[in-house]
Amino acid sequence: MKVVVLGGSSPSTPVLFRRLGARSKMPHLEFCLVGRSHGHLVSVLRAVRTLVGKAPILLQSSSFAPAEIVSALRGADLVLVQVRFGGYEGRNFDETFPLRYGLCGDESLGPGGLSAAWRAWPAMHNLLTTVASVCPDATILMLSSPVGIFVGAARHMFPALRIYGICELPWTTLQDVSALLNADPTGIDFDYLGVNHVGWFYRMEFEGRDLLLEYKNQDSSGERWPSSQLVASCGGFPTKYLRLHYNQQQVLQEQREGRVSRAEILKEISLESYRVFRSGGKHAILTALERRPAPWYDHAVVPFLLSLAGVPSTIPYFLTRPGWLTDAAFDSQDLLELPICINLGKFRPKSCRKPPPSHILDTVKAFVAYERKAACAVVEQDGRQMQNALEIHPWIDKPELAAALTAQITAQPQVGPN
């Protein structure tokens, strides 16, 4: 199986191969890492080769130059899109400008996520145009933030592409609950509904136990996320990014009190990581990777690609795309994040045993409606449509606030991949 990583010079890329290199049995895999910075790509390749050892993995590399990327994509079975547009400077803007308007800053959610999509879409569109031309039958995993808006925009412009968003957060949430309540995450029967980074488990049962009920009945000071009171009131166990939704003022205060943004921290870590990748041994490389955890590889991407290669998996994958759910509450083109299983290369959505509570359903519908309008605004590069999208975002209650945010976002220059 051939896997092409667009954005392969990222300092987190070696995490993808850390787990692959540690497996005792591996299918034959061919990887091509496509990166913008030649120096960073060389460093990442050295780190990857150190980690994979004698595993049957063929490694190649490519730049984003038109002729080279066409060659890299030719024959691809799986394309991972993890390109960061605008670099850490762009992410820093996305994470900080919303704070001036009393909103949480994030590269995936809220105005920060829409800012990232607006800045990146023209370059992302060009990239996907090449993918659609060279390897139209490949499976495409969108990892670049914001996943939901990018998948929506891509599905609008390239309806024939098999493009999905993937997220590890629901699975790691199940693992966290299992550790707390002494359960096996692979044995939990659950119902889940969400959009990328924003989701709820509204049923979790294990060997006759109701884990949600057990969690709600625990004494809680309210300091742990989520509190038992929140789980009881919303009717489900929310993923951690919903702190930005339910605890907005607390998160906003934390972000304002932070001396540096997450983007600035990651930039410093990346510079040190590249230095280690260039000359360090295996232990030094593994230590460097611990400074920048990338759980989406271990808990989502690696199991997913191994499943496509025929290696059985016991975990569900949480994918974003339209048409997963047949429900009167949603349109067939609405983008939802739902659990799926892979059997002989076929994707099968996990069926739900009960409908979601009204609070969860209404909140998901609100985020879905926003992302639908946001994706259209990004595709059209239309500021008026962007303002209309922001006006219905669950965090924004005033048209004048949506207008001010739109002015900030549309003033950015367009950029290429980093």
Side-chain angles (χ1 to χ4, degrees):
M1 184 171 79
K2 181 177 180 179
V3 183
V4 178
V5 184
L6 301 178
S9 57
S10 164
S12 65
T13 298
V15 179
L16 169 64
F17 296 90
R18 179 182 62 189
R19 179 166 177 178
L20 291 173
R23 287 182 58 88
S24 57
K25 294 183 179 180
M26 276 279 297
H28 179 78
L29 296 172
E30 176 184 349
F31 280 87
C32 185
L33 307 185
V34 184
R36 182 186 68 88
S37 166
H38 176 72
H40 290 170
L41 191 57
V42 169
S43 299
V44 168
L45 278 168
R46 181 186 179 278
V48 168
R49 290 193 172 101
T50 301
L51 295 176
V52 299
K54 297 181 179 180
I57 297 175
L58 175 63
L59 285 170
Q60 298 177 322
S61 64
S62 167
S63 75
F64 279 97
E68 287 194 37
I69 194 171
V70 166
S71 178
L73 288 167
R74 192 169 290 121
D77 300 293
L78 176 64
V79 178
L80 306 182
V81 183
Q82 59 177 41
V83 189
R84 177 176 299 285
F85 296 94
Y88 292 112
E89 291 74 16
R91 176 168 177 167
N92 183 65
F93 175 78
D94 301 336
E95 292 176 339
T96 57
F97 87 89
L99 307 186
R100 299 197 295 270
Y101 299 91
L103 297 169
C104 298
D106 187 78
E107 67 162 347
S108 299
L109 301 177
L114 183 50
S115 170
W118 175 272
R119 176 178 63 247
W121 176 250
M124 181 69 80
H125 177 267
N126 291 340
L127 204 56
L128 293 176
T129 298
T130 303
V131 172
S133 173
V134 179
C135 52
D137 297 325
T139 298
I140 303 163
L141 279 189
M142 179 62 68
L143 302 176
S144 299
S145 294
V147 167
I149 295 177
F150 276 145
V151 172
R155 294 284 303 181
H156 179 79
M157 294 301 297
F158 307 96
L161 282 182
R162 295 191 299 166
I163 186 165
Y164 309 90
I166 190 168
C167 184
E168 85 292 348
L169 189 55
W171 174 238
T172 57
T173 299
L174 271 181
Q175 292 176 300
D176 292 341
V177 173
S178 298
L180 185 66
L181 300 179
N182 192 28
D184 176 2
T186 63
I188 295 178
D189 187 23
F190 64 86
D191 291 335
Y192 175 87
L193 180 65
V195 297
N196 185 255
H197 276 17
V198 175
W200 295 257
F201 289 94
Y202 58 91
R203 184 179 66 85
M204 288 193 287
E205 298 175 357
F206 177 72
E207 296 182 347
R209 297 162 55 194
D210 184 336
L211 299 185
L212 282 179
L213 181 61
E214 291 184 21
Y215 190 90
K216 286 185 289 187
N217 287 340
Q218 287 188 342
D219 290 333
S220 174
S221 64
E223 296 179 358
R224 184 178 63 202
W225 171 262
S227 68
S228 56
Q229 293 88 345
L230 175 59
V231 172
S233 63
C234 74
F237 196 100
T239 54
K240 68 179 182 180
Y241 273 84
L242 275 159
R243 280 195 71 226
L244 280 70
H245 181 71
Y246 291 118
N247 294 6
Q248 290 185 46
Q249 292 307 309
Q250 181 181 345
V251 174
L252 180 61
Q253 181 178 349
E254 292 169 359
Q255 291 181 337
R256 284 174 167 167
E257 291 176 352
R259 289 180 296 176
V260 293
S261 70
R262 179 64 175 160
E264 291 172 308
I265 294 171
L266 291 178
K267 182 178 181 179
E268 178 185 344
I269 291 173
S270 71
L271 293 174
E272 174 62 18
S273 296
Y274 288 128
R275 185 191 67 77
V276 174
F277 295 167
R278 284 193 296 271
S279 58
K282 184 175 181 178
H283 176 74
I285 291 169
L286 290 172
T287 300
L289 294 179
E290 291 302 319
R291 294 189 65 200
R292 173 54 167 120
W296 55 91
Y297 291 125
D298 286 344
H299 299 289
V301 175
V302 170
F304 181 89
L305 74 85
L306 289 175
S307 290
L308 290 185
V311 178
S313 174
T314 59
I315 74 170
Y317 307 107
F318 292 81
L319 300 186
T320 296
R321 69 155 290 164
W324 284 133
L325 188 63
T326 304
D327 190 296
F330 296 99
D331 183 87
S332 63
Q333 295 305 306
D334 285 343
L335 286 173
L336 295 167
E337 180 178 77
L338 294 170
I340 68 105
C341 299
I342 301 177
N343 185 21
L344 299 177
K346 302 293 184 181
F347 295 1
R348 179 176 60 83
K350 180 184 182 299
S351 59
C352 294
R353 284 178 48 186
K354 58 184 286 189
S358 58
H359 168 80
I360 293 175
L361 181 62
D362 291 343
T363 309
V364 170
K365 288 170 67 175
F367 277 105
V368 165
Y370 159 72
E371 288 203 341
R372 185 191 310 120
K373 284 183 175 289
C376 289
V378 164
V379 166
E380 299 295 333
Q381 291 286 284
D382 186 321
R384 182 60 200 171
Q385 290 189 50
M386 176 187 289
Q387 183 172 331
N388 291 340
L390 287 169
E391 286 176 355
I392 67 169
H393 192 284
W395 301 349
I396 296 172
D397 57 0
K398 297 178 181 178
E400 55 268 30
L401 176 56
L405 292 166
T406 298
Q408 283 274 293
I409 293 170
T410 55
Q412 296 180 86
Q414 295 176 354
V415 296
N418 276 40

